[in-house]
Amino acid sequence: MPADPVPLGFVFRSRAKEEKAPADKAPVTDSKVTRDPQAPKGRPTPKRSEAQTQRRSVAQTPTTRKEAAKRQRDDRRAQMEKQRQALASGDERYLPVRDKGPVRRFARDFVDSRFCIAEFFLPMAVVILVLSMVRVGSLQNIALLLWLVVIVMIVVDSIGIAIRLKKQLNTRFPDLPKKGAVPYALMRTLQMRRLRLPKPQVKRGERP
């Protein structure tokens, strides 16, 4: 017996369902979310802060040797300016390595809190030099004697400063390295107080 004929309406409805099914199974996407054009395909869009950080790092990276050299000069100039300000204010964060640390700070304060004969060496040297240039035998002899007296006084005073400073450092900082602190302080005594760097942070007679 011949098979019953299939109604045409049933065939059309079946095809319509098959064509509609893939569209129904397609993933739903939010049309309001826009993908960053810089984000790689298949990866989530980075946050705005992350994207700004990436663009900033790319913008700051020098692309040529000339730009890299200019960047290094600018960084060096900025660092030197910070050190100059720190030498005037005593800010420990930007001081040169030789001036950093509590030991070196105490050595500076120890010297700045007292009168040192060595700090008057330059003005006394000028006076002695002028006397030695005068063509008078007695004045030249006085100049030579003054040279000897000044040198002896500076040596004796420096020895006393070194002994007292070393004792204070051993008492106050027993566990910290103190190498070079005493010569560092003695070199500071040779500078006039107003010309010392870092600038003195204590007054004369004040206990460090």
Side-chain angles (χ1 to χ4, degrees), residues 4-200:
D4 296 334
V6 180
L8 294 178
F10 177 77
V11 174
F12 291 142
R13 285 195 298 270
S14 300
R15 291 183 178 178
K17 289 180 180 180
E18 292 176 358
E19 293 176 356
K20 189 178 180 181
D24 294 339
K25 295 180 180 179
V28 179
T29 57
D30 188 357
S31 59
K32 295 182 180 180
V33 178
T34 58
R35 189 180 68 84
D36 190 346
Q38 296 182 355
K41 294 182 179 180
R43 297 184 181 179
T45 302
K47 296 180 180 179
R48 179 177 298 178
S49 59
E50 296 177 356
Q52 291 177 352
T53 302
Q54 292 176 359
R55 285 193 291 269
R56 193 179 298 113
S57 62
V58 172
Q60 292 178 353
T61 302
T63 56
T64 62
R65 183 177 299 177
K66 186 176 180 180
E67 291 181 1
K70 184 178 182 300
R71 181 73 55 80
Q72 291 180 355
R73 288 196 300 270
D74 293 342
D75 294 343
R76 192 180 305 112
R77 191 178 298 112
Q79 184 65 24
M80 291 178 64
E81 177 63 21
K82 288 181 179 179
Q83 287 189 359
R84 186 188 67 80
Q85 295 177 359
L87 289 172
S89 63
D91 190 347
E92 283 277 341
R93 295 174 298 173
Y94 304 111
L95 285 177
V97 177
R98 67 182 181 86
D99 297 313
K100 284 186 176 180
V103 174
R104 296 300 174 95
R105 182 172 64 249
F106 179 81
R108 293 194 301 270
D109 293 344
F110 186 86
V111 170
D112 297 335
S113 63
R114 65 193 66 237
F115 283 96
C116 304
I117 297 177
E119 67 181 288
F120 303 106
F121 172 76
L122 287 178
M124 288 188 296
V126 172
V127 173
I128 294 172
L129 182 62
V130 171
L131 291 177
S132 63
M133 293 176 63
V134 177
R135 295 182 176 277
V136 177
S138 59
L139 292 179
Q140 290 181 345
N141 293 332
I142 293 174
L144 180 59
L145 181 61
L146 285 176
W147 268 120
L148 295 176
V149 172
V150 168
I151 292 175
V152 171
M153 291 176 62
I154 290 176
V155 170
V156 173
D157 187 49
S158 298
I159 292 175
I161 292 175
I163 294 173
R164 292 193 298 270
L165 176 59
K166 189 174 182 180
K167 183 179 179 180
Q168 290 285 337
L169 290 175
N170 291 331
T171 303
R172 291 174 178 255
F173 310 101
D175 300 327
L176 293 180
K178 295 172 282 293
K179 183 178 180 181
V182 174
Y184 172 79
L186 293 179
M187 289 297 297
R188 189 172 177 85
T189 62
L190 293 172
Q191 303 170 347
M192 298 181 67
R193 181 182 172 87
R194 67 180 62 184
L195 300 179
R196 292 172 182 172
L197 292 174
K199 293 289 186 181

